[in-house]
């Protein structure tokens, strides 16, 4: 009698050519690793921790089951719950990060969903291990710092290194390892406020022997194979903190385009300090040239002005810093304004009254700014009637005023304000202002017919304000109806001719716009304003834009088109068409939607239906594609043992699928099956006829045979109805050698993460752990547990129970094999006699606190009555031993391996190489037990 191995699914197993129900299942998910992990461990039974060395490759696979095939998404959060969610997602089964960096550590989630039930989510925490080079800094005690470290001075050597896990420090003087208490003049401690981050070596009352080479060794105890790192510091009577000199003036004033060189030299410090330059605490410009302590800025610009600092550091004491300012000379932003007599309530310039002309320029450095005035091109000097001032407290710096007292007709003319820098080298800035009888304050009006403006979306529109007066000021445009940006993204836009041009106007730009005069380049009076209304018309926005409707012949359905928004929205018309043929038309009244009903679909009714909704601005269209195409089939990926061996050179595959929405169209009469070898272009095709209607959720099976080993195949499946071919779906079939070559035995050595479909019992106290000696935690308990797998390999894996804290005596961990079916040979599907199988495994029970290891048989239909097969108690020595037991199951069964914690932590129990073979056990070793069926259930 043969044994067929397979998981017992929640649905019925389907035979070839037979439909079956209930295969739709919500997703389940597991995470396995295949990258360069250092260790995988369970943390508090709920979270798995994956440890990896920085720079290695992280590879996590998300194994899913469920039908339809779940969609997978990987997401990551940072290391703590308070960190913001990282916007990084991967939409495939394998998450791969090459050369992983420390910031990429954190918790990774695999989410699988297929629309059935809640999504399945599993997580694993990735811990990235690293060790940076340590750094030693040296300090004297406060109040004792001198230029050198003399005798009777206390010196502190601080060692720090960034790491994960926390670093362990040790100190060495020459070749001598230093420890607390080994030398009365030496004290080693960790500051309370930086516990674990640093270790300080304190040299009290410095002695001659303390002048030596000191090494700080940083180690993470070889976790992940990270070697220790060390740094050497030489302490001598010349050791001193850095001092520097700047061989430049402060400030440095230059013209644009000049080359500037800053020289910084060390004047003291041992070891020799390193010099760096920074600008305003930021990085230097890219064109800067740095050579040791010399910084060169070729062709300097005004943007490169600022404070430049030279910083010297040698890890002794505090870094030295000296700074200088570079001032780049220049003039920019010249503007003017005219202020009428402030003592009269009149904005006009009048004979006999005062008028003030103001001129403003930004100058660097401001103290070099010089102003002069010209009238009609001739120099103008300050007098009783022509008062020139440069220090008006009511205006911004860099401003000059010309006050004309008692304006006369002869004062009319062109006044020029000239700005220059004291030492020349920079072009002057000249501003002309005309004062005459035609110099009048501005007025703003909107031309007739220019408000409101009604335009179509996408047009170019000019909003216009007419500005009169002389001189004409700059016009500022802004939104008057709401706080919203202008078309260029700013809150205000300038216009010199009063016109605001908007290109490709959009519906969001509808509203009221304000034009206002600015005080610059005009009169310094209350701003003049005007408003312009803009209305943007746009075609109707409708839904759905496109919808596909699948229907069978003779069925009724309704199409609906809805208007979301439109401007204008009062006069809306609609037309329903099939292709180019008009079906119906009308006008919207109080409703915002229209329907079209099909009472019985015929062949001529297939095609594209459109509903066109129109207004003055254009057309919005709803589109509906009515088709009789069948939906795509959904391949079933959870078939257990879908692949089998027929002959040495060929293999077979059990192809299973369900039909998506089979009742939405006409009955599926057949499937077209296409196949080709991957990488080839030739297809083989055949039709698989279907008898009767297919129900939703029915599982259909078709056996593929004569597949050539070890080739992979692309399979394409297309449903066929009387309408024609439906949607296709593809999948790849790959050959993989069976776990057991003879199909009459089961063997598991736990080398793969899926552990041969073993599962943890949900009702025990704790779990078994998959492990190998090569990745065992450095904190493992000595004097217990195996040093290799059963084959003697330190790289090989086994399952074991960890009995360290928080485990308690008597707690149990149970590991369950997959469920095995007893395959009947009777034509009526019944088991005619109890078959015999040999259950074998290797065990390792070493340690003075070993508890017990038990094996049980669990059969379907005998709930709560696991039958004892084998048991062993106590220390069996530091070696692997084998156990074999004959079993005689009469129903589908599982085998249970139970480990019980002993009285202490030296009680780890391990198992490896579990086998089940057909027939009696041959040469069972000692401690094995033969079990007969009448012993399992004496009352049956």
């Amino acid at each position: 009698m043969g044994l067929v191995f397979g998981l017992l699914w929640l649905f019925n197993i389907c035979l070839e050519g037979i439909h079956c129900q209930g295969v739709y299942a919500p997703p389940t998910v597991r995470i396995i690793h295949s990258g360069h992990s250092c260790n995988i461990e369970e943390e508090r039974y709920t979270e798995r921790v994956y440890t990896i060395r920085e720079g290695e490759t992280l590879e996590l696979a998300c194994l899913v089951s469920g039908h339809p095939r779940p969609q997978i998404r990987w997401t990551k959060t940072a290391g703590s719950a308070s960190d913001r969610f990282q916007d990084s997602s991967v939409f495939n089964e394998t998450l791969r990060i090459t050369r992983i960096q420390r910031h990429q550590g954190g918790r990774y989630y695999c989410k699988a969903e297929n629309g059935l039930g809640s999504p399945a989510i599993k997580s694993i925490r990735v811990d990235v291990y690293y060790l940076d080079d340590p750094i030693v800094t040296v300090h004297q005690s406060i109040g004792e710092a001198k230029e050198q470290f003399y005798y009777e001075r206390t010196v502190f050597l601080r060692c720090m290194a960034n790491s994960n896990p926390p670093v362990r420090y040790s100190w060495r003087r020459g070749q001598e390892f230093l420890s607390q208490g080994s030398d009365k003049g030496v004290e080693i401690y960790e500051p309370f406020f930086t516990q674990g981050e640093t270790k300080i070596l304190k040299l009290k009352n410095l002695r001659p022997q303390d002048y030596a080479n000191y090494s700080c060794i940083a180690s993470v105890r070889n976790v992940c194979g990270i070697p220790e790192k060390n740094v050497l510091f030489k302490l001598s009577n010349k050791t001193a903190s850095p001092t520097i000199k700047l061989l430049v003036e402060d400030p440095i004033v230059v013209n644009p385009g000049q080359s500037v060189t800053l020289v910084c030299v060390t004047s003291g410090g041992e070891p020799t300090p390193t010099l760096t330059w920074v600008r305003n605490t930021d990085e230097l410009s890219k064109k800067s040239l740095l050579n040791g302590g010399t910084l060169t800025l070729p062709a300097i610009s005004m943007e490169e002005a600022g404070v430049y600092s030279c910083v010297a550091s040698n890890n002794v004491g505090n870094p030295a810093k000296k700074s200088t300012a570079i001032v780049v000379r220049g003039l920019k932003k010249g503007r003017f304004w005219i202020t009428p007599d402030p003592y009269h309530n009149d904005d006009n310039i009048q004979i006999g009254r005062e008028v003030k002309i103001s001129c403003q320029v930004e100058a660097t450095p401001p103290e070099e700014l010089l102003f002069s005035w010209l009238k009609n091109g001739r120099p103008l000097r300050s007098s009783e009637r022509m008062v020139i001032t440069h220090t008006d407290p009511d205006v911004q710096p860099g401003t000059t005023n010309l006050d004309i007292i008692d304006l006369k007709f002869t004062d009319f003319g062109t006044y020029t304000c000239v700005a220059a820098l004291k030492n020349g080298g920079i072009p002057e800035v000249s501003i002309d202002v005309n004062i005459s009888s035609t110099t009048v304050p501005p007025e703003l009006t909107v031309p007739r017919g220019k408000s409101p403006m009604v335009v179509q979306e996408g047009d170019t529109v000019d909003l216009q304000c007419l500005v009169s007066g002389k001189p004409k000021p700059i016009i500022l445009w802004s939104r008057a109806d709401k706080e919203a940006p202008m078309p260029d993204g700013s809150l205000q836009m300038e216009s010199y001719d009063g016109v605001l041009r908007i290109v490709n106007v959009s519906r969001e730009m509808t509203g009221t716009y304000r034009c206002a005069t600015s005080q610059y380049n005009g009169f310094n009076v209350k701003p003049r304003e005007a408003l312009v209304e803009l209305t943007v018309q746009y075609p109707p926005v409708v839904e759905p834009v496109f919808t596909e409707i699948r229907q069978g012949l003779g069925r009724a359905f309704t199409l609906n088109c809805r208007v979301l928004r439109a401007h204008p929205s009062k006069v809306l018309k609609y037309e329903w068409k099939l292709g180019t043929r008009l079906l119906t038309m009308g006008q919207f009244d109080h409703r915002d939607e229209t329907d079209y009903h099909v009472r019985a679909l015929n062949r001529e009714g297939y095609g594209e239906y459109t509903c066109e909704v129109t207004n003055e601005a254009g057309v919005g269209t709803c589109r509906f594609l009515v088709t009789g195409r069948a939906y795509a089939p959904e391949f079933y990926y959870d078939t257990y043992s879908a692949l089998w061996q027929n002959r040495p050179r060929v293999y077979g595959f059990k192809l299973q699928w369900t039909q998506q929405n089979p009742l939405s169209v006409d009955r599926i009469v057949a499937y077209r099956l296409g196949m080709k070898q991957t990488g080839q272009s030739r297809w083989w095709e055949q039709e698989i006829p279907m008898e009767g209607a297919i129900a939703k959720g029915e599982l259909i099976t078709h056996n593929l045979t004569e597949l050539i080993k070890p080739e992979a195949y692309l399979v394409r499946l297309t449903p066929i109805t009387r309408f024609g071919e439906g949607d296709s779906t593809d999948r790849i079939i790959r050959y993989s050698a069976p776990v057991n070559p003879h199909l009459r035995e089961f063997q598991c050595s736990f080398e793969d993460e899926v552990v041969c479909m073993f599962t943890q019992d949900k009702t025990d106290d704790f779990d078994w752990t998959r492990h190998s000696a090569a990745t065992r935690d450095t904190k493992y308990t000595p004097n217990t547990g195996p040093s290799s797998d059963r084959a003697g390999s330190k790289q090989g894996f086994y399952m074991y129970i960890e009995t360290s804290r928080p485990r308690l005596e008597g707690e149990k961990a149970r590991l369950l094999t997959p469920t095995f079916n007893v395959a009947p040979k009777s034509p009526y599907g019944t088991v005619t006699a109890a078959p015999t199988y040999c259950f074998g495994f290797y065990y390792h029970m070493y340690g003075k606190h070993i508890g017990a290891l038990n094996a049980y048989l669990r059969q379907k239909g005998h709930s709560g009555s696991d039958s004892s097969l084998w048991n062993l108690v106590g220390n069996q020595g530091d070696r692997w031993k084998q156990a074999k037991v004959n079993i005689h199951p009469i129903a589908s069964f599982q085998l249970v391996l139970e480990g019980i914690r002993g009285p202490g932590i030296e009680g780890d129990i391990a198992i490896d190489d579990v086998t089940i073979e057909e027939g009696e056990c041959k040469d069972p070793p000692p401690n094995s037990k033969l079990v007969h069926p009448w012993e399992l259930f004496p009352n049956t």
Side-chain angles (χ1 to χ4, degrees):
M1 181 173 295
L3 178 67
V4 177
F5 300 97
L7 292 177
L8 284 178
W9 305 103
L10 296 176
F11 49 84
N12 299 324
I13 296 176
C14 303
L15 302 178
E16 182 178 3
I18 298 177
H19 306 309
C20 54
Q21 303 282 344
V23 298
Y24 286 111
T28 63
V29 62
R30 288 186 303 117
I31 298 176
I32 65 171
H33 77 283
S34 55
H36 299 159
S37 67
C38 306
N39 189 25
I40 300 287
E41 62 184 30
E42 304 293 328
E43 184 180 88
R44 298 181 183 176
Y45 325 116
T46 59
E47 183 185 47
R48 301 176 66 226
V49 182
Y50 179 108
T51 305
I52 188 171
R53 181 173 173 174
E54 189 173 47
E56 300 287 0
T57 297
L58 171 71
E59 192 166 296
L60 300 174
C62 195
L63 301 185
V64 299
S65 64
H67 186 72
R69 184 69 165 174
Q71 297 293 314
I72 296 173
R73 181 185 183 190
W74 281 99
T75 57
K76 181 236 176 186
T77 59
S80 69
S82 62
D83 290 329
R84 296 182 63 185
F85 187 79
Q86 306 296 305
D87 186 16
S88 58
S89 301
V90 178
F91 292 90
N92 54 45
E93 293 183 4
T94 301
L95 173 68
R96 180 181 175 87
I97 302 176
T98 57
R99 298 189 58 79
I100 191 169
Q101 300 301 303
R102 62 194 66 178
H103 69 272
Q104 293 173 304
R107 187 169 292 110
Y108 286 81
Y109 291 86
C110 175
K111 179 180 180 180
E113 52 187 337
N114 64 355
L116 299 177
S118 300
I121 302 175
K122 290 289 184 182
S123 71
I124 185 168
R125 201 184 82 213
V126 175
D127 211 355
V128 181
Y129 279 5
Y130 58 91
L131 174 62
D132 291 344
D133 291 327
I135 298 174
V136 170
T137 57
V138 182
H139 298 271
Q140 274 187 307
S141 56
I142 298 175
E144 297 180 343
K146 304 292 183 183
E147 288 188 359
Q148 296 180 336
F149 288 83
Y150 296 106
Y151 293 132
E152 299 181 357
R153 294 289 184 263
T154 298
V155 175
F156 301 88
L157 279 70
R158 180 192 299 267
C159 186
M160 292 187 66
N162 295 320
S163 74
N164 183 34
V167 70
R168 177 182 294 172
Y169 299 99
S170 57
W171 282 98
R172 193 169 61 199
R173 180 169 54 196
Q175 299 300 318
E176 172 195 6
F177 275 98
L178 298 175
S179 59
Q180 183 65 26
S182 64
D183 186 330
K184 292 184 178 180
V186 174
E187 184 179 342
I188 301 175
Y189 65 95
E190 294 181 0
F192 178 76
F193 55 88
T194 57
Q195 199 85 29
E197 295 180 8
T198 181
K199 182 151 286 191
I200 293 179
L201 176 66
K202 179 180 180 182
L203 304 175
K204 299 177 290 186
N205 298 325
L206 209 61
R207 305 162 299 177
Q209 62 264 35
D210 291 329
Y211 293 119
N213 291 333
Y214 290 86
S215 297
C216 172
I217 299 98
S219 168
V220 289
R221 299 165 293 284
N222 204 38
V223 171
C224 281
I226 300 175
E228 65 182 24
K229 297 185 177 182
N230 64 79
V231 61
L232 177 70
F233 186 87
K234 182 179 180 180
L235 181 67
S236 71
N237 59 358
K238 295 182 181 180
T239 300
S241 56
T243 58
I244 55 176
K245 293 180 180 179
L246 279 184
L247 306 182
V248 294
E249 298 178 357
D250 184 30
I252 303 171
V253 181
V254 295
N255 291 334
Q258 286 185 329
S259 179
V260 180
T261 299
L262 306 179
V263 180
C264 178
V265 296
T266 58
S267 55
E270 178 68 31
T272 302
T274 58
L275 300 176
T276 56
W277 280 93
V278 294
R279 170 180 170 261
N280 299 338
T281 70
D282 296 328
E283 295 182 357
L284 302 173
S285 65
K286 293 183 179 180
K287 67 178 184 178
S288 303
L289 304 176
L290 192 59
N291 182 14
T294 302
L295 173 65
T296 302
L297 305 170
I300 195 168
S301 63
M302 295 187 69
E303 290 74 20
E304 292 175 286
V307 177
Y308 286 77
S309 301
C310 175
V311 181
S313 175
N314 65 352
N315 293 337
V316 179
N318 295 319
K321 179 179 179 181
K322 287 189 178 294
S323 304
T324 185
I326 297 180
V327 178
V328 181
R329 303 170 72 240
L331 295 170
K332 59 182 180 179
K333 288 191 177 178
R335 357 183 232 200
F336 76 92
W337 58 93
I338 302 169
T339 306
D341 191 341
Y343 302 107
H344 294 81
N345 189 19
D346 193 345
D347 292 341
N348 292 291
I349 296 174
Q350 295 186 21
I351 298 294
R353 294 184 181 178
E354 179 183 337
V355 63
K356 180 194 289 185
I357 305 173
S358 300
C359 175
Q360 186 184 61
V361 174
E362 291 185 12
T364 306
E367 61 270 15
E368 288 192 22
L369 178 61
L370 298 175
F371 280 113
S372 60
W373 285 89
L374 305 176
K375 178 185 178 184
N376 298 327
R378 294 181 181 180
L380 185 66
R381 292 201 175 112
S382 185
S383 64
E384 290 185 1
R385 265 194 348 100
M386 297 284 184
V387 181
I388 299 174
T389 57
H390 303 309
T391 56
D392 189 338
D394 296 330
V395 297
Q396 298 181 19
T399 304
T400 181
N401 298 316
L402 172 61
D403 276 294
I404 305 176
I405 310 299
D406 188 16
L407 182 68
K408 299 180 183 302
F409 182 78
T410 56
D411 294 329
F412 289 164
T414 300
Y415 291 83
T416 304
C417 163
V418 181
L421 292 183
K422 186 183 299 182
N423 297 318
I426 301 296
E428 296 177 339
V429 173
S430 297
I431 302 172
D432 292 333
V433 183
N434 186 266
I435 301 295
S436 69
S437 59
T438 60
T439 303
V440 293
E443 294 296 334
L444 279 180
T445 58
V446 178
R448 185 185 299 274
K450 291 296 185 179
S451 181
M453 295 286 290
V454 180
V455 297
Q456 303 286 317
E457 188 170 42
D459 289 349
T460 295
V461 60
D462 288 337
L463 305 185
Q464 186 175 3
C465 282
L466 292 179
V467 56
S468 61
K470 185 179 180 182
K472 289 186 178 181
I474 298 172
I475 302 301
L476 302 178
W477 284 91
S478 61
R479 295 292 292 264
D481 54 343
K482 55 185 174 181
E483 284 289 332
M486 297 293 286
D488 67 347
S490 64
L491 291 177
Q492 277 190 340
M493 292 178 66
E494 292 185 353
S495 168
Y496 290 89
D497 59 0
V499 175
L500 173 65
R501 170 161 289 189
I502 304 176
V503 179
N504 192 22
V505 66
S506 64
R507 64 194 67 176
E508 292 80 13
M509 297 176 186
T510 293
T512 305
Y513 289 77
R514 177 190 296 112
C515 61
T517 59
S518 71
Q519 75 173 72
Y520 299 116
N521 298 356
F523 271 71
N524 183 21
V525 294
K526 182 180 179 180
R528 274 56 169 168
E529 295 184 357
L531 300 178
V532 177
E533 294 286 340
L534 175 64
T535 300
V536 181
Q537 295 183 341
Y538 53 90
V541 178
V542 297
E543 69 173 8
V545 176
F546 177 81
T547 296
E548 184 182 65
I549 297 176
R550 306 204 182 200
Q551 286 288 348
L553 292 172
R555 300 181 187 179
F557 60 91
T558 299
L559 306 178
N560 173 269
C561 182
R562 182 183 177 193
V563 179
L564 300 178
R565 53 191 174 274
H567 192 86
S569 59
K570 292 184 178 180
V571 183
L572 293 176
K573 300 178 180 179
Y574 65 84
E575 289 184 351
W576 282 96
K577 297 179 180 179
L578 174 56
T580 59
R581 180 164 59 94
L582 180 64
L583 301 174
T584 185
M585 59 188 298
Q587 184 169 319
F588 286 89
D589 41 26
H590 60 280
R591 299 182 64 204
D592 59 359
E593 59 186 356
T594 174
D595 296 330
Y596 182 75
H597 303 281
V598 176
R599 292 183 176 84
L601 181 64
N602 55 31
R603 284 195 172 275
E604 291 72 26
Y606 287 122
E608 184 178 73
Y609 291 74
T610 58
C611 175
E612 295 179 349
V613 182
T614 59
N615 66 358
E616 295 177 21
V619 180
T621 304
C622 295
R623 299 181 185 276
F624 305 87
L625 179 62
V626 178
T627 177
R629 288 173 61 89
Y631 286 97
E634 297 171 317
F635 282 116
Y636 187 67
Y637 285 83
D638 295 343
T639 304
Y640 187 73
S641 297
L643 183 146
W644 75 89
Q645 251 179 327
N646 286 338
R647 296 191 297 276
R649 297 183 180 180
V650 297
Y651 69 98
F653 188 88
K654 182 185 292 185
L655 189 68
Q656 294 186 304
W657 68 93
T658 59
Q659 178 59 44
Q660 184 182 167
N661 301 326
L663 304 179
S664 63
V665 295
D666 292 329
R667 184 179 72 83
I668 295 172
V669 296
Y671 285 92
R672 176 167 289 112
L673 174 67
M675 287 180 54
K676 71 169 185 174
Q677 287 186 19
T678 56
Q680 303 291 325
S681 58
R682 182 182 176 189
W683 286 85
W684 291 271
E685 290 189 346
Q686 71 174 100
E687 282 198 2
I688 306 172
M690 293 288 110
E691 299 294 335
I694 299 173
K696 184 176 178 63
E698 290 190 3
L699 190 67
I700 306 167
T701 300
H702 180 79
N703 285 338
L704 305 176
T705 58
E706 304 298 321
L707 305 179
I708 301 173
K709 296 180 183 178
E711 301 295 335
Y713 290 83
L714 173 63
V715 176
R716 176 170 297 161
L717 202 60
T718 308
I720 302 173
T721 65
R722 56 177 173 169
F723 176 84
E725 292 189 355
D727 294 342
S728 300
T729 188
D730 296 349
R731 72 166 294 180
I732 299 290
I733 293 172
R734 291 184 172 86
Y735 174 78
S736 59
V739 175
N740 47 69
H742 304 298
L743 290 179
R744 295 200 172 187
E745 64 183 22
F746 172 85
Q747 192 276 336
C748 184
S749 57
F750 305 111
E751 296 305 316
D752 189 71
E753 178 73 9
V754 297
V755 293
C756 313
M757 306 302 286
F758 275 72
T759 56
Q760 308 280 357
D761 195 336
K762 303 294 185 184
T763 61
D764 57 7
D765 302 308
F766 65 108
D767 287 345
W768 288 77
T769 302
R770 177 176 173 265
H771 220 39
S772 77
T775 60
R776 186 161 55 182
D777 193 329
T778 56
K779 298 180 180 179
Y780 78 96
T781 306
N783 303 318
T784 188
S787 57
S788 67
D789 72 350
R790 200 279 302 178
S793 169
K794 290 187 178 295
Q795 307 298 323
F797 285 84
Y798 52 86
M799 301 294 288
Y800 87 111
I801 60 169
E802 172 59 65
T803 56
S804 300
R805 285 190 298 269
R807 301 276 65 83
L808 301 175
E809 184 175 1
E811 288 189 343
K812 300 175 181 180
R814 283 189 289 271
L815 190 66
L816 311 179
T817 69
T819 299
F820 301 107
N821 298 331
V822 177
K825 289 190 175 181
S826 164
Y828 301 101
T830 58
V831 179
T832 55
T836 300
Y837 303 102
C838 179
F839 169 47
F841 60 95
Y842 283 83
Y843 60 90
H844 189 283
M845 301 171 68
Y846 169 55
K848 64 182 180 182
H849 299 138
I850 290 293
L853 179 62
N854 303 318
Y856 298 95
L857 177 68
R858 178 179 295 179
Q859 299 195 75
K860 184 178 180 181
H862 299 82
S863 60
S865 58
D866 292 352
S867 304
S868 176
L869 299 177
W870 181 94
N871 59 76
L872 194 60
V873 178
N875 186 0
Q876 304 298 316
D878 188 10
R879 59 187 177 275
W880 287 96
K881 295 182 179 181
Q882 188 181 28
K884 286 186 178 181
V885 181
N886 284 333
I887 58 174
H888 305 271
I890 58 176
S892 300
F893 66 94
Q894 287 178 287
L895 293 157
V896 183
L897 288 161
E898 179 187 76
I900 303 178
R901 203 258 196 188
I905 63 174
E906 295 181 20
D908 294 355
I909 298 174
I911 61 170
D912 203 357
D913 289 356
V914 178
T915 59
I916 304 174
E917 298 175 323
E918 190 175 36
E920 295 275 348
C921 292
K922 299 179 178 61
D923 303 318
N927 297 327
S928 293
K929 180 180 178 182
L930 303 183
V931 179
H932 298 282
W934 54 86
E935 296 176 283
L936 299 179
F937 305 102
N939 296 325
T940 58

